[in-house]
Amino acid sequence: MKNMLIIIFLAAEAMVVGSRLLLNVVGYRDPAVPAVYIFGDSTFDVGTNNFLNDTKSKADMPFYGIDYSPSHSKPTGRFSNGYNTADCIVQLLGFKESPPPFLYLVQNDTEDFNTQILKGVNFAGGGAGILHHTGKKRFGRVISMEEQIEQFSRVGDNMTRYLNESAAKGIINKSLILISVGSNDINEFLMFNVSNSSSLIQQLQQFLPDLIASYQAHLTNLINLGGRKFGILGLAPLGSVPDVRGSYGGNSSNEINAVAQLFNYGLYYMLLDLNSSKFPEFNFSFGNTYSITTEMINNPASLGLSDVATACCGNQTLTGGTPCSPNATVCEFRHKFLFWDRHHPTEYGSQLAANDLFNGGSEFVSPFNLSTLVQTS
C-alpha cells in the first residue's frame, strides 16, 4: 500500500477543473438518513472547542456568528459568519442544522442525551488532525480524530443500552458519517518539519503515505463500529487561503497547493482500495473540495462572488491581515466573499461547496455525490 501511494504521489498530474454553472439547490424535505455523525477539524466544528478551556483554536468571540440567526448573531463556536459546511450539507439532507457537539450533550443535555444521539452528534473540533499530536503544538488542547472516534464508540454503547444491539447497529449502518480533516496535519508538516525545499519531495515520500495509513486506520475503526455510508472531504487549495496569500504577495502558493493535491490523490485511492479489498460494505462519496474551491476562485462572477482572496473578517487586505476578532473590520456584503477569516469560508462559500458535494457531478465528487450515497442500501 505504501509503495503504491508513493508511485501515485510522484506520478500525480494537476487536476483539471471544468467550468460549470451554479446548480439549482436540491435537497430533501424530510431527513434522508436516521442520523448524521460528524468528524474532523474547524471546517466542521459547531462549538466543540467552546468546552475546551486550554485551547487557542476558538471561534467564541465576535464577529464569528454575526449572521447566525438562531443565536441572534452571537458566536456559536463555528468558524464562520453563520452556518458552516457541515450545517449546509446536513440542511440538504433535510435536517435544520448540524447536530450538537458531543461535549455539549455530555455537559448540558444529560436528560435528552440518549434521544439526541439517535439523531446525530458532531465530534469535530478546531485544530484537530489525522495524527494524534497534530494541533497540540500550535493550539494546546484539541480533540484528535482518535479521541473523536472514542467518543463515537461511547455513543454507540449508549445507543445499545438505550435500545438494543440490533436496533443501534441498524441506525448507525443507515446513517451518514461526514469527515473533513487533514489540513492541520499538512500545515504543521510544512511549518515544523520541512527544513529546506530540496528535501521536500523526500520528506513527502515518507510523510504522506504514513498520514494516509493513519487515516485508513481511523476509517477502519469507524467501519468496525458500524459506519457504512461515508461522506469524505478532500483538502481545499491550502495555498490559496488569505493567510498564505499574505506571505506570497497576494498570490497563491503553488507548492502548498501541490501538497494538498497529492494528499487528495492518496486519500482517494486509499478509499477505493478500502472498498475493493477490505470492506465491500463501505460506501463513500469523496468530495473534491480542491476542484470545488478552485472553480470559485477562477470563476467568481458566475457564482456571485467578488472577492476570493481576502478575509471578510480581518481588514480585507493581504499584507498585514489581521485575525477575525472583536477588533477586526468586517466587510458589509458577506455573501460576496469566499473567505470569512484567514482560513475558513463564509456561510455563502459553504453553501456553494455543500451544493456541489450533494448534487455535483464527477468533476467534484466520486464515485457519486452525497445525494446518491444516502440512497445506497
Side-chain angles (χ1 to χ4, degrees):
M1 178 68 177
K2 184 169 180 177
N3 290 335
M4 181 187 73
L5 287 173
I6 291 175
I7 293 172
I8 291 169
F9 291 140
L10 295 179
E13 297 179 355
M15 293 183 179
V16 178
V17 181
S19 61
R20 65 91 160 85
L21 297 176
L22 178 62
L23 298 171
N24 292 324
V25 177
V26 179
Y28 289 89
R29 179 175 298 177
D30 299 314
V33 290
V36 183
Y37 299 99
I38 300 173
F39 302 82
D41 54 31
S42 56
T43 54
F44 277 179
D45 188 351
V46 295
T48 292
N49 284 17
N50 288 354
F51 298 91
L52 304 181
N53 294 325
D54 48 355
T55 184
K56 298 177 183 177
S57 178
K58 283 193 174 186
D60 61 349
M61 79 292 287
F63 291 95
Y64 289 105
I66 190 173
D67 297 312
Y68 184 79
S69 57
S71 69
H72 305 288
S73 301
K74 295 180 181 178
T76 63
R78 291 167 171 82
F79 291 78
S80 172
N81 58 307
Y83 289 116
N84 65 18
T85 306
D87 293 302
C88 296
I89 293 172
V90 167
Q91 287 166 347
L92 290 172
L93 284 167
F95 296 90
K96 182 180 178 181
E97 61 182 16
S98 166
F102 173 80
L103 293 182
Y104 170 85
L105 293 173
V106 169
Q107 299 185 31
N108 293 286
D109 206 13
T110 305
E111 292 184 3
D112 297 326
F113 182 84
N114 286 326
T115 56
Q116 175 58 55
I117 62 177
L118 302 179
K119 305 173 187 177
V121 182
N122 190 315
F123 304 93
I130 298 166
L131 303 177
H132 182 72
H133 60 76
T134 295
K136 292 178 170 59
K137 186 173 183 178
R138 284 193 296 164
F139 305 116
R141 178 77 168 102
V142 299
I143 308 292
S144 67
M145 276 294 294
E146 180 181 351
E147 187 172 354
Q148 292 177 35
I149 295 170
E150 290 173 356
Q151 293 173 347
F152 179 61
S153 179
R154 290 171 56 188
V155 164
D157 290 342
N158 274 272
M159 290 172 62
T160 297
R161 287 193 292 269
Y162 184 66
L163 302 172
N164 57 62
E165 185 175 358
S166 177
K169 182 179 179 181
I171 290 175
I172 294 175
N173 285 172
K174 296 176 183 178
S175 296
L176 177 65
I177 292 178
L178 288 174
I179 306 176
S180 176
V181 71
S183 61
N184 289 313
D185 300 280
I186 297 298
N187 285 333
E188 292 193 3
F189 166 76
L190 295 173
M191 290 172 63
F192 302 130
N193 298 304
V194 179
S195 56
N196 57 73
S197 58
S198 62
S199 64
L200 176 60
I201 296 298
Q202 181 179 356
Q203 293 181 66
L204 281 173
Q205 289 178 7
Q206 178 176 348
F207 173 74
L208 286 176
D210 288 346
L211 185 63
I212 296 297
S214 295
Y215 204 144
Q216 179 174 306
H218 293 319
L219 292 176
T220 298
N221 288 335
L222 288 170
I223 294 169
N224 289 334
L225 290 170
R228 295 294 180 267
K229 302 179 182 183
F230 289 76
I232 297 175
L233 276 61
L235 297 184
L238 303 178
S240 297
V241 300
D243 191 38
V244 174
R245 286 179 182 266
S247 301
Y248 284 79
N251 299 312
S252 296
S253 165
N254 295 330
E255 293 81 6
I256 296 176
N257 283 342
V259 175
Q261 285 181 296
L262 293 175
F263 172 85
N264 287 344
Y265 276 110
L267 174 59
Y268 181 63
Y269 283 101
M270 179 270 284
L271 297 175
L272 290 175
D273 180 68
L274 197 62
N275 170 258
S276 63
S277 66
K278 297 180 177 65
F279 299 102
E281 69 274 23
F282 167 68
N283 294 301
F284 71 92
S285 174
F286 172 74
N288 191 343
T289 48
Y290 192 100
S291 292
I292 291 172
T293 306
T294 300
E295 176 73 356
M296 296 183 199
I297 293 172
N298 291 343
N299 299 289
S302 65
L303 301 172
L305 296 166
S306 61
D307 190 314
V308 294
T310 70
C312 172
C313 184
N315 56 7
Q316 292 90 64
T317 63
L318 288 170
T319 56
T322 60
C324 185
S325 69
N327 298 320
T329 301
V330 179
C331 68
E332 181 178 2
F333 301 107
R334 266 86 74 179
H335 64 284
K336 294 290 185 180
F337 279 66
L338 171 57
F339 292 103
W340 166 243
D341 62 14
R342 297 189 297 177
H343 295 276
H344 304 95
T346 58
E347 177 182 275
Y348 181 63
S350 291
Q351 290 170 341
L352 291 174
N355 189 46
D356 284 333
L357 294 165
F358 199 79
N359 296 307
S362 58
E363 70 272 34
F364 298 130
V365 283
S366 297
F368 35 65
N369 58 35
L370 290 174
S371 179
T372 301
L373 174 67
V374 297
Q375 298 176 47
T376 59
S377 58

